[in-house]
Amino acid sequence: MSDQTAPSRTAAWWSQSKSRSQATAAAAIVLTAVLVGISAYVWVSPTGAPLRKAVDQATAVINPIAAQNAELKRNLDRATETIASQKGKLTALQKASLAAQAAAAKQLATAQQKASAAEGQLASVQAQLSAAQAKSASGSASAAGSHTSTGSGSNGGGSGSGSSAAPITAPSRAALVNPDKRYFGMYTEQAPFNWATFDATSAKVGVAPNMVGYFSGWDENFRANAVTRAWQQGRMPLMTWESRPIDARNDTVNAPAYSLPKIIRGDFDAYLHQYAKDIVATGLPLGIRLDHEMNGIWYPWSETDGQGNSINGNNVGDYVKMWRHVHDIFQQEGANSLVVWVWAPNIVNNLPASHKAPGYLEALYPGDAYVDWVGLSGYLRPPYKSDNDFSFDYTFKASLDKLRSIASKPIMLAEIGASETDGHKATWITSLFQSLGKPENSDIIGFSWFNLAVTSYVEGVRATNDWRIDSRADSLSAFITGLTRPEDDFVLTPAP
């Protein structure tokens, strides 16, 4: 069979003729329609439920997994955010801790620098003073010629007592009343009869006080050894002389045997005359702070209690009469040539309204002819009022203004101190010395610091106040820095 006549091998079986192709297409369409119909019937008809159920079950299985995956993703996102937040807080806390540590270190370094500076300043002052003393030692004999000397009196024992046979010298009374330099004094437990605490505190300050304060009662004779021992150390004795027994309690105002009317009418005249004679026999000057804080309501020599009632049987006007009576007896015996009379009320801040009223303190002043120094007792002590700024002016200014309106006398801060309670002591001490350097306070000739820790009742509250100069390092440092300020003009004798 030739190639021209044989049928083609590549043509589809169903497309070998036109008629066959049309039949094939029609059959395919019919078949497709039948299959679609069958599928629709199976899906829609009740008999198709198993199929739908299978599909639904497959979907139900897929959907919870997807939901669970979504919830897990949300939890993961939240955990990631929490971790990031906590990392941020931890970083902030670490930075804050480092900052606090740095600040504390800086404060400590500053405090150490201040303490070192104060110690250096004190050492410099001590070196200068030692050099000055060595330079002037050769002239000490001629300087002694301006002093009052004596060999009488009991010297007593204890540290720093010196030789009992050595002459004891002191400046003249006139030089003491109007000193060239300010006084720095202290009260301690036993000075001037024992110098242990006095000397220990002086050594810490680095400056030897040139005044010593002490107390005596009217049941004691004149203690000449207090005066001689003080002047052996070159210190002016400042005696607080209380018209009551020496061991009387401070919480009672009743001492009927020592009422002002009894003193005025002469019940103690024999005692007073002998006391004055003993001062003359000793031959050394001293300050006498007679019945101090008379404007208060806590001592038996006060006149009224703030409610118009008498204290200890006293009458209004009796305090001045008592003072003048004692002074006149001393004048008769010649003792006033040796005594510096110190009239020293309490600061007016917390007194009853009647005791702060105009004219009240003035009525207690004996007069210029009977007084050499006016003074004050004043403390920084709790409870603190809300307006207290822990300054010198808050404590003293109102009282100083009152004193200056009464008399033009040298002012002695005869008994002062500051409590450590609540941590304001160093600030108050700094303010004290800064204020003493101001021109308006040039009439203040010194102070005597109450260097003890005492438990007492104040406004019904029992508290222990530590008045000591060296109660804390910052208080001591503030005291040293203030005392050695050149503008405050204290006698800066190095402590032994």
Side-chain angles (χ1 to χ4, degrees):
M1 183 180 297
S2 66
D3 293 336
Q4 285 86 1
T5 58
S8 174
R9 298 291 184 181
T10 58
W13 61 269
W14 45 268
S15 61
Q16 291 180 3
S17 68
K18 182 176 181 180
S19 59
R20 184 175 299 177
S21 298
Q22 292 175 342
T24 302
I29 292 170
V30 171
L31 180 60
T32 299
V34 171
L35 291 174
V36 169
I38 294 171
S39 296
Y41 174 78
V42 170
W43 187 262
V44 179
S45 68
T47 58
L51 177 60
R52 291 197 305 274
K53 184 175 181 181
V55 172
D56 291 340
Q57 289 176 344
T59 302
V61 171
I62 294 171
N63 286 344
I65 294 175
Q68 185 176 9
N69 288 341
E71 180 64 23
L72 289 173
K73 185 176 185 306
R74 285 194 296 272
N75 291 341
L76 178 61
D77 290 343
R78 284 195 295 267
T80 302
E81 292 175 359
T82 301
I83 292 171
S85 174
Q86 294 302 318
K87 284 183 177 179
K89 291 181 180 179
L90 179 60
T91 302
L93 288 173
Q94 289 172 336
K95 290 181 178 179
S97 177
L98 291 174
Q101 291 175 3
K106 184 177 180 180
Q107 291 176 353
L108 178 60
T110 300
Q112 290 173 337
Q113 289 173 358
K114 288 183 178 179
S116 298
E119 291 174 357
Q121 184 180 16
L122 178 60
S124 176
V125 170
Q126 289 175 327
Q128 293 175 21
L129 292 172
S130 297
Q133 283 186 329
K135 185 176 179 180
S136 61
S138 60
S140 60
S142 60
S146 63
H147 291 47
T148 302
S149 64
T150 180
S152 62
S154 173
N155 290 323
S159 64
S161 63
S163 171
S164 60
I168 304 170
T169 62
S172 67
R173 179 184 176 279
L176 294 173
V177 171
N178 296 291
D180 294 331
K181 297 280 189 178
R182 279 179 165 146
Y183 292 99
F184 160 39
M186 283 198 305
Y187 299 86
T188 59
E189 291 90 346
Q190 296 180 326
F193 309 104
N194 185 300
W195 296 110
T197 303
F198 196 99
D199 289 348
T201 303
S202 302
K204 292 180 181 179
V205 174
V207 175
N210 57 345
M211 175 178 282
V212 54
Y214 66 103
F215 290 74
S216 187
W218 277 34
D219 59 337
E220 297 179 305
N221 294 325
F222 177 66
R223 303 184 69 176
N225 63 334
V227 176
T228 56
R229 285 176 56 79
W231 282 121
Q232 281 175 335
Q233 301 295 313
R235 296 166 182 146
M236 179 180 178
L238 176 61
M239 179 180 71
T240 298
W241 197 23
E242 299 181 337
S243 59
R244 63 174 182 173
I246 185 60
D247 60 353
R249 294 166 57 92
N250 276 343
D251 58 356
T252 179
V253 297
N254 294 316
Y258 296 84
S259 69
L260 297 181
K262 289 185 177 181
I263 298 172
I264 296 166
R265 77 186 184 193
D267 289 13
F268 290 87
D269 281 5
Y271 167 76
L272 293 171
H273 277 283
Q274 186 59 51
Y275 208 96
K277 290 177 181 178
D278 292 342
I279 290 176
V280 173
T282 304
L284 290 167
L286 75 157
I288 294 182
R289 183 173 64 143
L290 174 61
D291 283 348
H292 62 307
E293 301 172 17
M294 76 299 295
N295 59 333
I297 58 174
W298 46 86
Y299 284 131
W301 49 84
S302 298
E303 293 180 350
T304 59
D305 63 357
Q307 304 296 324
N309 303 311
S310 170
I311 288 179
N312 199 36
N314 302 330
N315 307 300
V316 173
D318 279 352
Y319 181 84
V320 168
K321 293 177 183 177
M322 177 277 298
W323 183 288
R324 292 177 177 177
H325 183 76
V326 175
H327 185 279
D328 289 346
I329 290 177
F330 274 51
Q331 183 66 29
Q332 294 169 20
E333 300 295 344
N336 284 340
S337 63
L338 294 168
V339 173
V340 177
W341 290 98
V342 186
W343 179 77
N346 196 74
I347 55 173
V348 301
N349 302 32
N350 295 322
L351 297 180
S354 61
H355 288 38
K356 292 192 287 187
Y360 184 83
L361 187 59
E362 289 86 342
L364 296 171
Y365 183 60
D368 288 351
Y370 296 86
V371 173
D372 298 299
W373 292 347
V374 295
L376 286 172
S377 296
Y379 287 83
L380 172 71
R381 67 189 308 160
Y384 305 120
K385 294 184 178 179
S386 60
D387 62 339
N388 194 337
D389 61 359
F390 311 105
S391 69
F392 175 89
D393 281 351
Y394 183 92
T395 304
F396 291 108
K397 189 177 186 306
S399 302
L400 289 170
D401 290 346
K402 179 67 74 173
L403 287 187
R404 289 163 179 154
S405 72
I406 294 173
S408 296
K409 296 283 186 176
I411 298 173
M412 169 60 66
L413 303 181
E415 184 185 326
I416 69 171
S419 173
E420 280 290 359
T421 302
D422 292 346
H424 304 292
K425 185 170 184 173
T427 298
W428 190 87
I429 290 173
T430 298
S431 179
L432 164 69
F433 287 108
Q434 289 177 344
S435 297
L436 290 178
K438 295 179 179 179
E440 60 266 32
N441 292 320
S442 61
D443 55 352
I444 299 175
I445 60 172
F447 67 85
S448 192
W449 191 276
F450 194 76
N451 196 63
L452 294 90
V454 177
T455 300
S456 61
Y457 283 90
V458 179
E459 298 184 15
V461 178
R462 184 172 186 250
T464 298
N465 289 301
D466 195 340
W467 312 115
R468 294 173 299 173
I469 292 171
D470 58 340
S471 52
R472 283 180 54 88
D474 57 343
S475 298
L476 176 61
S477 178
F479 196 95
I480 293 170
T481 300
L483 187 67
T484 55
R485 283 163 35 101
E487 56 267 49
D488 287 351
D489 206 24
F490 286 93
V491 178
L492 301 178
T493 303

